[in-house]
Amino acid sequence: MTEGMSLKPELGRYGVWTGGSPTPEQAAEIEQLGYGAIWVGMSPAAELSFVEPLLAATTTLQVATGIVNVWSAPAPQVAESFHRIEAAHPGRFLLGVGVGHREATAEYSSPYQALVDYLDTLDAAGVPTSRRVLAALGPVLRLAAERSAGAHLPDHSRAHRHRARTGRAVGVPGPRTQGGALHRCRRRPRDRPRGGRLLSAAVELRQQLAQAGLHRSRRTCPGSDRLIDAVVAHGSADDVAARLGEHLDAGADQVTIQVLGGWKALLPTLTELAGPLGLTPPD
């Protein structure tokens, strides 16, 4: 570990997952609402150039990648970026790493070994295990426990939650992602996720939905009510907050909230949820 480098960041109980980088102004508002972290959900270039502007606009907010893709972002360059960010904003960046989905990556081959090799390179470059997490499914859960601060878990399966909570696989249960839809939209709350891209065709996600007991006919678009209820927290702000809190009770360190409805819905939804979630502005 680099001398003086901070240990695992304090992420807070609730964070925000975005399908791309928010603006610095949005990051500042998210921080003032009391959310502890922003997880930028894309496969960014190894330079991670979006991170510093977000950290410069805030004072306590953590920024994490969800995820850096091992196939498209070379580990040596990612390690250089980590140390650059750490030097400018000590203790406020968490490196999320993963192999992504088979369907989206032509180079996808031997993903477990590819991830092991990637972590070996990060180790050699001095990126501490306490400052990285792994997007973890199946056998990668054990790897996350042994070689990172924890697992960045999707939440599509009761069986997956049970394994993460009770098994040896995850020493420090990591964040889980949960969609959120509030009743203020004119359509029924279950209709909004049906109209979006939440229902993924990725093999890994289909397998998790099967483990949750959802029949094949209910795992395809537009999705049954049971499917939507399994993967999306919807209803009033109080309903959504109660659903999110269940994941903390199940052992998650942090629950990351994916707001449905695009960038325009992001801040209004997070503002409406902040009170029911018990969030307060940072000191």
Side-chain angles (χ1 to χ4, degrees):
M1 181 184 300
T2 301
E3 184 178 356
M5 185 173 293
S6 302
L7 297 177
K8 181 182 175 184
E10 290 293 333
L11 299 174
R13 294 177 303 156
Y14 295 102
V16 178
W17 187 97
T18 60
S21 180
T23 66
E25 293 76 17
Q26 288 172 321
E29 291 194 50
I30 289 170
E31 177 183 67
Q32 285 304 305
L33 288 170
Y35 294 93
I38 292 176
W39 292 76
V40 179
M42 57 180 179
S43 295
E47 291 73 19
L48 303 178
S49 57
F50 67 91
V51 175
E52 281 112 331
L54 301 182
L55 293 176
T58 56
T59 58
T60 63
L61 190 75
Q62 303 287 332
V63 174
T65 53
I67 57 171
V68 165
N69 193 303
V70 303
W71 310 108
S72 59
Q77 288 92 316
V78 169
E80 291 178 3
S81 298
F82 175 89
H83 290 299
R84 185 194 73 237
I85 296 166
E86 173 67 18
H89 304 280
R92 296 183 56 207
F93 175 62
L94 186 63
L95 179 64
V97 177
V99 296
H101 297 303
R102 184 182 303 274
E103 293 88 346
T105 306
E107 299 87 352
Y108 202 97
S109 177
S110 302
Y112 187 90
Q113 187 58 49
L115 189 53
V116 169
D117 294 342
Y118 201 92
L119 295 176
D120 288 344
T121 302
L122 295 181
D123 286 345
V127 178
T129 58
S130 59
R131 298 289 298 284
R132 66 196 191 206
V133 294
L134 303 184
L137 297 172
V140 181
L141 283 169
R142 184 177 299 277
L143 189 64
E146 296 172 347
R147 302 196 59 182
S148 78
H152 184 31
L153 302 171
D155 185 70
H156 296 280
S157 162
R158 291 188 300 271
H160 193 75
R161 290 201 301 274
H162 178 77
R163 187 187 312 128
R165 186 175 70 250
T166 63
R168 182 177 174 273
V170 179
V172 182
R176 299 191 174 103
T177 302
Q178 181 76 44
L182 302 183
H183 267 319
R184 68 165 174 273
C185 64
R186 294 179 180 177
R187 295 177 293 172
R188 292 193 312 140
R190 290 191 180 103
D191 291 338
R192 183 179 233 172
R194 286 195 180 100
R197 299 180 59 191
L198 185 69
L199 304 181
S200 172
V203 171
E204 294 90 344
L205 299 186
R206 293 204 304 269
Q207 291 173 341
Q208 289 178 74
L209 293 172
Q211 291 172 5
L214 290 163
H215 188 270
R216 181 185 299 273
S217 63
R218 293 177 174 174
R219 305 198 305 268
T220 57
C221 291
S224 67
D225 283 355
R226 185 182 173 195
L227 171 59
I228 299 303
D229 291 344
V231 299
V232 180
H234 59 79
S236 68
D238 288 335
D239 292 336
V240 172
R243 177 76 176 277
L244 298 175
E246 292 175 0
H247 302 295
L248 294 177
D249 295 339
D253 287 337
Q254 182 188 66
V255 178
T256 54
I257 302 167
Q258 177 185 359
V259 174
L260 306 181
W263 291 108
K264 290 184 178 180
L266 179 67
L267 289 174
T269 302
L270 294 176
T271 299
E272 191 167 348
L273 284 173
L277 291 174
L279 301 181
T280 57
D283 296 333

Coordinates of all heavy atoms in Angstrom, one line a residue, residues 15 48 64 81 144 149 160 184 200 224:
G15 N -26.2 5.2 -1.6 CA -25.5 5.8 -2.7 C -26.4 5.9 -3.9 O -27.5 5.4 -3.9
L48 N -10.0 7.5 -16.6 CA -10.9 7.9 -15.5 C -11.0 9.4 -15.4 O -11.1 9.9 -14.3 CB -10.6 7.2 -14.2 CG -10.5 5.7 -14.2 CD1 -10.0 5.2 -12.9 CD2 -11.8 5.1 -14.6
A64 N -17.2 6.2 -7.2 CA -16.8 4.8 -7.4 C -17.1 4.5 -8.9 O -18.1 5.1 -9.5 CB -17.5 3.9 -6.5
S81 N -4.2 5.9 -13.1 CA -5.3 6.9 -12.8 C -5.7 6.9 -11.3 O -6.0 7.9 -10.8 CB -6.5 6.5 -13.7 OG -6.1 6.6 -15.1
A144 N -13.8 -11.8 -4.6 CA -14.0 -10.5 -4.0 C -13.7 -10.4 -2.5 O -13.1 -9.5 -2.0 CB -15.5 -10.1 -4.2
A149 N -12.2 -5.1 -1.2 CA -13.0 -4.7 0.0 C -14.4 -5.3 0.1 O -15.1 -5.1 1.1 CB -13.1 -3.1 0.0
H160 N -29.0 -15.3 -4.2 CA -27.7 -14.6 -4.3 C -27.5 -13.7 -3.0 O -26.5 -13.7 -2.5 CB -27.8 -13.7 -5.5 CG -26.5 -13.1 -5.9 ND1 -25.5 -13.8 -6.5 CD2 -25.9 -11.8 -5.7 CE1 -24.4 -13.1 -6.7 NE2 -24.7 -11.9 -6.2
R184 N -45.5 9.3 -8.5 CA -45.9 10.6 -9.1 C -46.0 10.5 -10.6 O -46.6 11.4 -11.2 CB -45.0 11.7 -8.6 CG -43.6 11.6 -9.2 CD -42.8 12.9 -9.0 NE -41.5 12.7 -9.5 CZ -40.5 12.3 -8.7 NH1 -40.8 12.0 -7.4 NH2 -39.3 12.2 -9.1
S200 N -32.8 -6.9 -18.7 CA -31.6 -7.3 -19.5 C -31.7 -8.7 -20.0 O -32.3 -9.6 -19.4 CB -30.4 -7.1 -18.7 OG -29.2 -7.6 -19.4
S224 N -43.7 -9.7 -16.1 CA -44.9 -9.8 -15.3 C -44.8 -8.8 -14.1 O -43.7 -8.3 -13.7 CB -45.0 -11.2 -14.7 OG -43.9 -11.5 -13.8

